[in-house]
Amino acid sequence: MNFRIDFLAILTAILFPIFEVNGQVHTRTDANIFGHVIDGSTGEHLPFAYIIIRDLSITTQTDSTGHYFIKDLPDGRHKVEISMMGYHTYHMMIESEKGKTKEYNFTLSIESSMLDQVVVTGNRYATKRRETGQIVGIVSPKLFENTISVDPAGALNFQPGLRVEYDCGNCGFSQLRINGLDGQYSQVLLDSKPVFSSLSMVYGLEQLPASMIERIEVVRGGGSALFGSNAIGGTVNIITKEPVGNLLQISNLSGLMGKSAMDINTSLNASMMSEDRRTGAYLFSMVRKRDSYDRNGDGFSEMPRLKSETAGMRMYHKFSDRSKLTAEYHHIHEFRRGGDDIDNAPHTCLIAEQIEHQIDGGSLSWDGSFGKNDITAYVSAQGIGRSSYYGTGRDPDAYGRTSDFTMNAGVQYVRHYDKLIFMPSILSVGMEHIYNKLDDRFLGYGRHLEQRTSQGGFYLQNEWKNKSLGILIGLRVDKHNLMDNPFLSPRISLRYTPDQRWTFRGVYARGFRAPQAYDEDLHVGSAGGEASLISISKDLRPEHSDAFTLSADCWIKAGAWQLNALVEGFYTRLKDVFVLETQGHDDQGNMILERKNAPGAYVAGVNFEIRAVLPDILEIQGGLTPQRSRYAEPFLWSPSLPAQKKMFRSPDLYGYITLDGSVTHRLHTVFNGILTGPMLVQHYAGSVAYDCERMTPPFLDISAKVAYHFHLARKTRIEVSISCKNIIDMYQKDLDEGRLKDSAYVYGPLAPRSFHGGMKLSF
């Protein structure tokens, strides 16, 4: 409680003076500039390119036609910076003159390695990607389109070391694995704020539409531990779109899965900006309807029926050139249903999983800049209401209700030093508080989970850096209400850039996981016609981790080709690692899996990534991860099987490839592939007589797309596309059948061969 009072006092002290101290506004000078930004090789206008005048703290973007307009500049010469994802940053001096309007046009050239792109996830402040202390991967809007992805779950497979897997054939429960670790080891952020709770992570990666996402930044390994306790495997930061002028966009992507299952996605987005460009709003919405899919014709689904509606907005207002208030809100309604007799009430079915979510979330943040001092204060919250049925054998009592509320508030101070002791430096100090209230009721199973978690964190880091060298030392201190003592998470990263071709990095960080309920604990599975529940051992201790990464990044130009290669080794050691152990059955006949501590475990491997670009013709990007995931001592998960050291559902090899070719500047083709190597999976008794283990075959999920765009009018752009996912129809061959199926015995691609057609209209 004292933390909340302190935070409110600090927030009030920060926000109160912004109207006084930071009240600089432009007077009317009628000194205006306008023009366009084009691609130097094609002559195409570039929509949404950034135009920045740093000495005036002015940032704007070109509209959907590639044009811009800035009004009422002060007299004089100013340095303008023009940047856009995938292009070299361009600088130019302009001169504004009172009472005159001048035209300045800019031309950008393609930059394949995106070295100058600014990211925020690595260090909790904006940094050029090349100068970060750890590798920051970027999932761009173009990647969403090229991979035919309507949500983050579909696009995140196309990053080194990342793999999205689906762990339930009834409801489609998914999780993101980073560097071989389960989804619970990853921290998922929304606009750099940890509002994803254990409940929201069950289906969260499928609930956010691509239409609201500007980009996703990914930091692999524990070097991102500055963001919180769960960032052991890595951090995924989903950054939502900001308004960029006046724009309306309507799109539809419709697909046919197998022979009859439809998947229809329609989105409507709008960007609006005030005349003085101080206030803007981006509105987004999406409606999705997907049929269930039954691969083997046994009457039980392998993919659930899905219906969802999403609506929200992100808006900002600039009180002055150095003070900005940003607000975000989203509402998500999602319904999913799997099992048999999907059109009937769930309690009349042999197996049914039915979940309906009502999600409301939002955030408010203020950013202020005072010379070399930057201050950010923020608060975010998300509430979830879930109505569910997880039942077998026509159980009338398997209905449940869950409520979940998460709130996060914090403040951060950043100081830029021209020289601190021996080098230029950036000092960051901050504190935040995360509160979660979970109430999960399944009275038919005798389960009523009430969990209140509260975690206060304080962090301090200093980064000395120039173009050749970076040294970052940081410490985060967390006090979790389910742990007796505060936990210290040190973080050290070193970067060495001897020339423009090479960058070497090394990172070490500690992390922990509290003994609380995680996402899979809030999901009820089924096997052998009975429900399977996860409980938490009373003696469960916190899990600790030590993570190390070493990487080398290389950029080469060979004639017209531009090449980028990355090698990144990772090793994470876990102590008191969480495992699930079969405990038999409870009084109602439900199978009980208990979360306990095992002595330890480790994951180790190498991420390889290569990117080759022949400007305006071809772009190739691929990644491959060989790795090992092992328990320190053999783990006994079933009394009918010998103990196992190998971690389940963690392949020793996986990767991806994308090829994007431009036939003309209007027509381009895309080819994608996802490789999943053999992995060990558990198969609970039911369709099989006894618990057993299965080494799965490898899978290669190949997709292709052809897209063509044209201008219906000067400001009206249309794109049409056709695509096919999982072209060779690779799918699990030994699916369980009937009411005794093990819902968790699924592996390989989620969807069968699917054909899609799309259209997008922008004006």
Side-chain angles (χ1 to χ4, degrees):
M1 188 65 180
N2 290 335
F3 181 89
R4 297 180 199 170
I5 294 173
D6 292 343
F7 172 76
L8 290 174
I10 293 171
L11 186 62
T12 302
I14 291 171
L15 292 179
F16 177 78
I18 64 177
F19 297 100
E20 300 294 332
V21 177
N22 209 20
Q24 177 188 352
V25 296
H26 284 160
T27 59
R28 288 203 174 272
T29 64
D30 281 331
N32 312 319
I33 63 170
F34 73 96
H36 64 233
V37 179
I38 62 173
D39 184 308
S41 56
T42 66
E44 286 270 297
H45 286 81
L46 296 176
F48 316 132
Y50 283 96
I51 300 169
I52 305 170
I53 307 177
R54 295 197 179 274
D55 63 326
L56 302 176
S57 296
I58 292 176
T59 300
T60 188
Q61 285 183 288
T62 57
D63 60 20
S64 60
T65 68
H67 293 80
Y68 74 94
F69 180 78
I70 303 176
K71 60 186 292 188
D72 293 324
L73 294 172
D75 281 348
R77 289 172 57 82
H78 310 286
K79 187 176 182 180
V80 179
E81 177 182 306
I82 303 93
S83 64
M84 186 175 180
M85 183 182 293
Y87 290 84
H88 283 285
T89 299
Y90 180 73
H91 296 89
M92 179 177 175
M93 296 300 297
I94 61 130
E95 187 167 358
S96 57
E97 190 173 347
K98 186 175 182 179
K100 291 187 178 182
T101 298
K102 297 184 178 182
E103 180 177 4
Y104 289 97
N105 297 315
F106 308 108
T107 301
L108 298 183
S109 58
I110 290 177
E111 167 56 83
S112 63
S113 59
M114 297 188 293
L115 301 183
D116 292 331
Q117 188 170 354
V118 174
V119 294
V120 297
T121 306
N123 299 329
R124 294 194 75 132
Y125 50 79
T127 309
K128 286 186 178 181
R129 189 183 182 202
R130 177 116 191 228
E131 296 177 3
T132 59
Q134 58 282 307
I135 300 293
V136 180
I138 297 176
V139 179
S140 66
K142 182 180 179 181
L143 186 61
F144 274 95
E145 294 183 359
N146 286 352
T147 58
I148 323 154
S149 301
V150 297
D151 54 43
L156 287 171
N157 281 305
F158 296 90
Q159 286 286 304
L162 272 64
R163 193 172 68 84
V164 177
E165 68 175 29
Y166 295 87
D167 294 338
C168 180
N170 293 333
C171 69
F173 165 53
S174 64
Q175 64 171 311
L176 170 67
R177 290 177 176 265
I178 302 181
N179 286 352
L181 291 170
D182 286 349
Q184 302 95 327
Y185 290 91
S186 301
Q187 180 83 297
V188 178
L189 310 171
L190 187 64
D191 291 323
S192 302
K193 302 170 185 67
V195 296
F196 280 85
S197 64
S198 297
L199 180 65
S200 61
M201 279 303 297
V202 180
Y203 307 106
L205 290 178
E206 294 182 276
Q207 291 175 335
L208 296 177
S211 60
M212 71 179 287
I213 299 172
E214 169 63 26
R215 69 184 186 277
I216 301 177
E217 296 181 0
V218 178
V219 177
R220 298 180 293 271
S224 56
L226 201 67
F227 280 96
S229 59
N230 285 357
I232 294 173
T235 295
V236 174
N237 190 5
I238 300 172
I239 299 172
T240 59
K241 290 183 177 179
E242 281 200 352
V244 287
N246 296 308
L247 168 72
L248 181 65
Q249 187 177 86
I250 305 169
S251 63
N252 175 270
L253 181 66
S254 297
L256 177 66
M257 303 183 301
K259 297 180 179 180
S260 59
M262 295 296 298
D263 186 2
I264 302 174
N265 304 267
T266 302
S267 64
L268 174 63
N269 310 303
S271 176
M272 296 171 289
M273 190 80 69
S274 64
E275 184 180 354
D276 62 2
R277 305 188 74 87
R278 291 192 176 277
T279 304
Y282 185 86
L283 310 179
F284 54 86
S285 63
M286 188 182 84
V287 177
R288 184 179 188 184
K289 182 180 180 181
R290 187 185 72 191
D291 296 333
S292 63
Y293 176 69
D294 178 9
R295 176 71 173 194
N296 54 14
D298 66 345
F300 295 82
S301 67
E302 269 68 64
M303 288 178 63
R305 173 182 292 174
L306 181 64
K307 297 179 182 179
S308 66
E309 303 90 34
T310 302
M313 66 88 189
R314 178 169 176 165
M315 65 175 296
Y316 70 77
H317 177 73
K318 295 181 179 179
F319 297 105
S320 72
D321 298 330
R322 301 182 180 276
S323 175
K324 179 180 177 182
L325 185 68
T326 305
E328 187 272 336
Y329 168 76
H330 60 269
H331 171 79
I332 300 172
H333 170 245
E334 187 198 68
F335 173 88
R336 58 177 66 207
R337 169 70 186 275
D340 65 314
D341 294 332
I342 287 179
D343 292 323
N344 297 333
H347 62 267
T348 65
C349 304
L350 294 174
I351 296 177
E353 295 193 22
Q354 178 174 298
I355 310 99
E356 184 170 16
H357 289 91
Q358 298 282 355
I359 303 173
D360 289 277
S363 65
L364 187 67
S365 64
W366 174 80
D367 297 276
S369 179
F370 308 89
K372 296 180 179 181
N373 305 284
D374 299 325
I375 300 177
T376 299
Y378 57 89
V379 60
S380 60
Q382 182 168 267
I384 304 176
R386 183 179 78 169
S387 301
S388 55
Y389 180 93
Y390 293 99
T392 61
R394 302 185 177 93
D395 187 350
D397 300 319
Y399 289 92
R401 295 190 69 85
T402 309
S403 63
D404 181 80
F405 176 75
T406 303
M407 185 172 183
N408 168 233
V411 62
Q412 175 176 284
Y413 169 74
V414 177
R415 169 72 179 183
H416 301 262
Y417 292 95
D418 294 330
K419 184 177 181 180
L420 182 62
I421 305 176
F422 58 93
M423 281 177 64
S425 166
I426 301 176
L427 174 68
S428 301
V429 182
M431 62 178 182
E432 64 182 353
H433 185 259
I434 305 172
Y435 172 77
N436 177 252
K437 177 183 178 182
L438 172 68
D439 190 351
D440 185 41
R441 296 172 181 263
F442 276 92
L443 299 184
Y445 293 133
R447 185 175 94 178
H448 181 194
L449 174 63
E450 287 186 288
Q451 179 177 272
R452 307 290 183 269
T453 60
S454 178
Q455 180 176 323
F458 172 83
Y459 57 89
L460 171 68
Q461 76 171 17
N462 192 75
E463 182 179 21
W464 290 273
K465 70 174 185 176
N466 55 33
K467 290 185 177 181
S468 300
L469 184 64
I471 304 171
L472 186 148
I473 300 176
L475 177 68
R476 182 180 174 108
V477 182
D478 287 284
K479 178 61 179 73
H480 198 288
N481 67 311
L482 299 182
M483 297 173 58
D484 293 332
N485 301 311
F487 187 84
L488 304 181
S489 301
R491 175 195 185 201
I492 301 172
S493 73
L494 302 174
R495 173 186 57 84
Y496 176 54
T497 306
D499 53 42
Q500 286 296 313
R501 295 179 56 184
W502 291 95
T503 299
F504 302 94
R505 296 177 173 92
V507 182
Y508 163 75
R510 293 201 71 199
F512 77 96
R513 288 206 296 160
Q516 66 185 64
Y518 288 95
D519 48 8
E520 60 183 309
D521 306 337
L522 305 173
H523 169 259
V524 179
S526 62
E530 60 189 19
S532 60
L533 307 175
I534 295 177
S535 64
I536 302 173
S537 170
K538 295 180 180 179
D539 301 323
L540 190 66
R541 300 183 301 277
E543 180 178 352
H544 298 162
S545 69
D546 292 280
F548 305 83
T549 61
L550 288 172
S551 66
D553 229 343
C554 180
W555 294 267
I556 301 173
K557 287 189 177 182
W561 284 91
Q562 303 176 28
L563 307 175
N564 174 213
L566 165 70
V567 179
E568 179 186 43
F570 60 89
Y571 175 81
T572 302
R573 183 175 61 242
L574 304 172
K575 181 182 178 182
D576 293 327
V577 61
F578 296 160
V579 295
L580 292 176
E581 186 177 298
T582 303
Q583 297 294 309
H585 295 76
D586 62 14
D587 296 338
Q588 298 171 308
N590 303 310
M591 182 171 62
I592 301 299
L593 306 174
E594 187 174 57
R595 187 181 302 282
K596 290 187 170 184
N597 294 106
Y602 75 90
V603 295
V606 182
N607 290 316
F608 296 97
E609 183 183 23
I610 188 167
R611 184 177 182 186
V613 176
L614 185 60
D616 307 320
I617 298 176
L618 181 64
E619 180 175 344
I620 304 171
Q621 185 171 349
L624 190 67
T625 302
Q627 61 145 72
R628 289 174 60 88
S629 304
R630 301 292 187 269
Y631 294 109
E633 298 180 6
F635 161 57
L636 184 67
W637 69 274
S638 172
S640 61
L641 290 170
Q644 176 64 254
K645 290 193 70 172
K646 187 177 178 64
M647 287 188 183
F648 295 101
R649 309 187 72 89
S650 185
D652 288 346
L653 184 70
Y654 54 96
Y656 72 94
I657 187 171
T658 68
L659 291 88
D660 185 354
S662 296
V663 181
T664 70
H665 71 276
R666 296 185 183 276
L667 176 67
H668 76 275
T669 60
V670 181
F671 173 89
N672 304 311
I674 301 173
L675 171 68
T676 304
M679 59 182 175
L680 192 67
V681 299
Q682 299 158 298
H683 195 173
Y684 287 97
S687 289
V688 293
Y690 303 99
D691 293 343
C692 60
E693 300 171 352
R694 156 87 161 148
M695 183 62 73
T696 69
F699 286 89
L700 182 60
D701 184 353
I702 300 174
S703 304
K705 176 183 176 181
V706 178
Y708 180 80
H709 77 268
F710 59 94
H711 288 271
L712 190 63
R714 179 174 176 271
K715 293 189 176 183
T716 304
R717 185 178 189 269
I718 296 178
E719 180 179 284
V720 294
S721 65
I722 56 173
S723 56
C724 180
K725 301 181 73 172
N726 197 358
I727 294 174
I728 56 180
D729 199 29
M730 296 203 76
Y731 209 83
Q732 181 178 344
K733 297 184 182 301
D734 62 338
L735 291 164
D736 276 358
E737 296 185 3
R739 66 180 184 86
L740 298 181
K741 69 184 293 184
D742 176 5
S743 65
Y745 186 62
V746 292
Y747 55 86
L750 171 71
R753 181 188 294 123
S754 308
F755 296 93
H756 297 260
M759 177 177 287
K760 180 165 61 176
L761 172 66
S762 304
F763 57 90

